[in-house]
Amino acid sequence: MSIERTLSILKPDATARNITGKINAIFEENGLRIIAQRRVFLTRAEAERFYIIHKDRPFYTDLCTFMSSGPVVVQALESENAIAKNRTIMGATNPREAAAGTIRALFGLSIDQNTVHGSDSAETAAQEIAFFFRETEIVG
Ligand code: ADP
Ligand code: MG
């Protein structure tokens, strides 16, 4: 294990319900440090570029529509094993399948409106953090 950084997004359903602080508290209680954070309203083009890896999936259009439907909070999180740790804390993609106590089990509304995004590998974490943050905006 080593100190890692991962990209987290609090999705539009989280900002709409004013629960970003509750979610940040869960990260911090689990030892994830928020080392960069910004609230942004993604354009559709930005959402499409961020999720380009999913461009051939049937849900791509709806995903990009949703992610550009309201403000999001983009964050870099840091801890030992941060990438896998955040995926565990987030829970399964479908909130109905997410383990009890996970963010998606607690707050997710549907497979589309599932409250949080988290990087899934070291490679995507580096790419996704660089998508939103300059090195000088990350204060570990
Ligand atoms: P995760 O966010 O858990 O890494 P994916 O990377 O597979 O999941 O998918 C990205 C996002 O696309 C998901 O968080 C979810 O909002 C949406 N999504 C994934 N699969 C589906 C699906 N079958 N139907 C609708 N939306 C989906
Ligand atoms: Mg993913």
Side-chain angles (χ1 to χ4, degrees), residues 105-135:
L106 288 167
F107 301 118
L109 300 174
S110 65
I111 195 165
D112 305 279
Q113 302 196 30
N114 61 1
T115 314
V116 280
H117 166 86
S119 307
D120 62 7
S121 70
E123 190 186 359
T124 56
Q127 288 169 0
E128 291 179 357
I129 290 170
F131 186 96
F132 287 111
F133 296 105
R134 299 162 197 265
E135 205 42 55

Side-chain angles (χ1 to χ4, degrees), residues 11-76:
K11 295 187 177 185
D13 66 286
T15 60
R17 287 178 288 159
N18 206 25
I19 56 173
T20 62
K22 283 186 184 164
I23 298 167
N24 281 350
I26 294 172
F27 292 144
E28 293 182 340
E29 281 158 14
N30 283 279
L32 287 163
R33 306 182 68 85
I34 301 165
I35 59 170
Q37 180 166 253
R38 187 167 72 249
R39 184 171 170 112
V40 288
F41 202 135
L42 296 178
T43 64
R44 189 179 178 91
E46 286 168 332
E48 287 174 354
R49 203 151 49 82
F50 181 77
Y51 280 113
I52 194 73
I53 193 162
H54 293 311
K55 69 175 168 23
D56 296 326
R57 308 285 289 277
F59 56 82
Y60 180 65
T61 301
D62 287 347
L63 174 62
C64 296
T65 300
F66 173 59
M67 291 302 288
S68 57
S69 70
V72 300
V73 177
V74 295
Q75 317 170 299

Side-chain angles (χ1 to χ4, degrees), residues 85-102:
K85 177 185 273 199
N86 188 37
R87 295 291 304 192
T88 300
I89 293 166
M90 288 164 59
T93 305
N94 186 343
R96 278 187 229 134
E97 293 164 10
T102 61

